[in-house]
Amino acid sequence: MSVRVLIGAQWGDEGKGKIVDILTRDTPIIARYQGGANAGHTLKFDGKKFVLHLIPSGIFHTHSTCVVGNGVVIDPVQLLKEIDAVKEMGANPETQLKVSKTAHVILPYHKVLDSVRETSKGDNKIGTTGRGIGPAYVHKMGRTGVRMMDLLDEKTLRSRVESALVETNTLLTNLYDAEPIESDSIVKEYLEIGKKVAPYLCDTSLLLHEAYKKGQKILLEGAQGALLDVDHGTYPFVTSSSPTSGGATTGTGLPPNAIRKVMGITKAYCTRVGNGPFPTELFDETGDSIRSVGQEFGATTGRPRRCGWLDMVALRYAVRISGINELVVTKLDVLNHLDEIKICVAYTVNGKTVTEIPLSVDELENATPVYETFKGWKKDLAYATSFSELPDEVKVFLNYIEEQTEAEIVIVSNGPDRKETILKTDFII
C-alpha cells in the first residue's frame, strides 16, 4: 500500500504539475486536496504547454483516475472549461475525473467580495488572485457555503444562496459601497451548471478509501506551498487553506495513518507571487536574470514572480511541519549561467543569528539572510540522464540540501519538458 502526499515546500510555483505528471505513470489515482483555481500547474510535453487550475495533472495519462477532493473550493465554470480543454488534448474526463459532492462552490459573489476586499486594503494588499478562493472558504467555515451536490437541488441551492447573500449584500452596500447581488440569476445559472457537472460527482472519500484498502497507489496533490499555509505560513500573507501534509487528510477523507511518504518540491532558488516577507529576494541583475531564464510569471495571473536565492531556513521549516522525507529539486537548469550560487543558511534578526524561521511576520520582513556561497556549474544540464552524470558542482549543491534538510533528493528537474527529469535509480514511484 502506498499513499504519497506531494506538496510545495516553498511559496508555491515549484513545478508540482510536472512531477505529478511523471509520478502518474505508475500511480493510478491522483487526488487534489485543497485550494482552488488560484493554482496553476504547468505541463510541457510533445512540444506543447498545458496549464491546469483544478483538474489534477495526471489527467493526460489515460489509465489514471483524477479526483478533486472535498477540501478544494471549485469554480464550476472553470471546471467545465478545463474539462473541455483536456478532452481536446486527448483525455477522457467522463471516465477519468471524479469530483467530490461535498466540495464547496465558488459563486459570483465570492469573486466580487475578493475584489472589493483586496481593493479596500490599499497598500496592505495580500496579493490574492481575485478568484474568490478566500471568501468561499470564509463561507465554508461560517457554515453558509454551497456544496457541489447543492447544485443539483433547486430548493437547497436557493436557500443557501439567499442565506449567504443576506450578510454578503450587507457588507457590499454598507462597507464597500458596492452594488448588492441578486439571487435569482445565480440560482438559475448554477442549476444549469449543476446538470453539466452532475456526471462527475461522487463520494470521493469512499472512492479513495476503497482504493486504499485494495492496496492501490494514491498520490495526494497539494496546491500552492507550505509557506502559504493558513496556519503555518507567513500569516496574513497566506492562502486560505492548508497546503501542508495535514491538509491532505481533511481534504480527501483518507486517515493520517494511510500516508506513507511525503514528497516536497523545491526550486533550486526561491520565488514568491504577491506580497509578504521574502528574506532572500533579489533586487539586482541576478534576480532579473533568474526571472527571465526561468520564465517566472504566474501560470494563473501572469504576474512576474519575485525571485531570490534558496532559503534553507524556510525549507527546513517546511520539511519539519509536513514530515517531508522525499525531496524534488526543480529548475536546476535556470542557474546554469551563474558563476556563483548562494543558499541562505540563517537569518540575522534584531542583531541575533537564528536558524529557525521567526513566527512573527514583522521579524521575518526585517530578517537579513546569512549565505553560503557555492561554485556554479556553468554548463547546460540537458545531457544528464542520471545523478551520476551531473557535474560535481551540482552534486555538492544537492548534497548540501540533503544534509541541511535530512530528506533524500529523489528527483531533479533539469528542464521544463517531461523528458528533462532525472530519477534516482532506486526511487520507487
Side-chain angles (χ1 to χ4, degrees):
M1 269 178 240
S2 178
V3 177
R4 174 184 273 116
V5 179
L6 181 143
I7 69 168
Q10 297 172 308
W11 283 285
D13 306 310
E14 300 93 350
K16 295 181 288 295
K18 175 184 176 179
I19 304 304
V20 170
D21 174 58
I22 290 165
L23 296 179
T24 304
R25 292 184 304 200
D26 291 300
T27 306
I29 299 178
I30 304 91
R32 170 88 178 271
Y33 63 82
Q34 50 74 224
N38 54 343
H41 291 175
T42 303
L43 306 173
K44 289 185 179 181
F45 57 88
D46 297 335
K48 299 176 183 177
K49 176 180 175 180
F50 310 103
V51 180
L52 296 172
H53 301 279
L54 286 167
I55 297 175
S57 311
I59 194 72
F60 298 115
H61 294 267
T62 55
H63 69 275
S64 69
T65 298
C66 291
V67 176
V68 182
N70 58 275
V72 179
V73 287
I74 298 173
D75 179 344
V77 176
Q78 175 64 34
L79 179 63
L80 290 172
K81 287 180 181 177
E82 284 193 26
I83 288 171
D84 289 341
V86 298
K87 280 183 186 178
E88 291 182 7
M89 300 170 199
N92 187 8
E94 282 81 4
T95 59
Q96 290 182 264
L97 180 63
K98 307 295 179 184
V99 178
S100 174
K101 287 182 175 181
T102 59
H104 278 246
V105 180
I106 295 173
L107 291 160
Y109 49 83
H110 293 128
K111 297 178 183 180
V112 174
L113 278 172
D114 204 357
S115 176
V116 296
R117 282 176 175 167
E118 190 76 348
T119 300
S120 71
K121 291 172 182 171
D123 294 337
N124 297 315
K125 288 182 175 67
I126 299 296
T128 75
T129 59
R131 302 290 179 98
I133 311 299
Y137 276 115
V138 168
H139 280 178
K140 175 179 179 177
M141 298 305 175
R143 297 177 292 279
T144 57
V146 172
R147 301 191 291 180
M148 289 296 286
M149 62 183 178
D150 298 335
L151 302 181
L152 311 182
D153 183 88
E154 181 175 359
K155 182 179 178 182
T156 302
L157 179 59
R158 185 173 297 279
S159 173
R160 294 192 182 279
V161 169
E162 288 178 350
S163 175
L165 282 177
V166 171
E167 180 182 8
T168 298
N169 280 333
T170 300
L171 287 171
L172 289 176
T173 57
N174 293 339
L175 184 60
Y176 299 114
D177 196 27
E179 292 296 318
I181 295 171
E182 181 265 330
S183 63
D184 285 345
S185 60
I186 292 175
V187 172
K188 182 179 179 181
E189 178 185 0
Y190 280 77
L191 282 172
E192 290 302 310
I193 289 171
K195 294 175 184 177
K196 296 177 181 179
V197 299
Y200 304 98
L201 301 185
C202 72
D203 182 346
T204 55
S205 173
L206 179 60
L207 181 153
L208 292 169
H209 179 76
E210 290 176 342
Y212 168 65
K213 284 296 186 182
K214 291 175 183 176
Q216 291 182 296
K217 291 180 180 179
I218 301 171
L219 178 65
L220 306 182
E221 175 189 0
Q224 290 87 43
L227 300 178
L228 292 175
D229 188 276
V230 69
D231 284 297
H232 301 289
T234 52
Y235 191 89
F237 301 98
V238 293
T239 194
S240 302
S241 57
S242 295
T244 47
S245 59
T249 59
T250 55
T252 61
L254 280 173
N257 60 0
I259 297 170
R260 293 291 180 265
K261 299 172 183 176
V262 181
M263 175 179 282
I265 317 295
T266 176
K267 285 176 179 170
Y269 51 95
C270 274
T271 63
R272 180 165 194 166
V273 172
N275 297 331
F278 186 179
T280 66
E281 184 171 9
L282 294 169
F283 301 95
D284 57 9
E285 291 182 1
T286 301
D288 292 340
S289 72
I290 290 174
R291 183 180 302 106
S292 176
V293 174
Q295 288 296 291
E296 294 295 354
F297 301 91
T300 297
T301 63
R303 289 181 292 184
R305 296 175 184 141
R306 300 156 63 191
C307 297
W309 295 119
L310 181 61
D311 188 335
M312 199 56 61
V313 181
L315 184 56
R316 286 195 301 261
Y317 175 69
V319 169
R320 171 164 64 85
I321 61 175
S322 279
I324 293 170
N325 48 25
E326 298 174 325
L327 274 178
V328 176
V329 179
T330 62
K331 293 207 164 186
L332 269 175
D333 54 297
V334 174
L335 306 183
N336 288 351
H337 64 291
L338 297 176
D339 294 317
E340 291 184 340
I341 297 165
K342 295 183 179 182
I343 295 179
C344 170
V345 297
Y347 304 144
T348 301
V349 180
N350 297 326
K352 297 180 180 179
T353 300
V354 298
T355 56
E356 297 292 342
I357 198 165
L359 298 182
S360 162
V361 71
D362 293 329
E363 288 187 352
L364 194 57
E365 283 277 17
N366 294 300
T368 301
V370 178
Y371 288 114
E372 289 279 353
T373 301
F374 295 80
K375 184 180 178 182
W377 39 91
K378 296 288 288 182
K379 62 177 66 176
D380 191 341
L381 300 179
Y383 70 90
T385 59
S386 68
F387 275 72
S388 61
E389 292 177 350
L390 290 169
D392 289 342
E393 293 86 354
V394 174
K395 293 175 184 175
V396 169
F397 180 78
L398 296 176
N399 287 340
Y400 187 81
I401 294 171
E402 285 190 328
E403 291 169 4
Q404 287 288 309
T405 60
E406 298 181 358
E408 182 183 9
I409 296 173
V410 295
I411 301 175
V412 297
S413 173
N414 58 337
D417 194 84
R418 176 191 278 171
K419 297 177 182 177
E420 295 173 305
T421 312
I422 303 171
L423 280 64
K424 271 198 173 173
T425 53
D426 58 350
F427 174 63
I428 299 174
I429 293 178

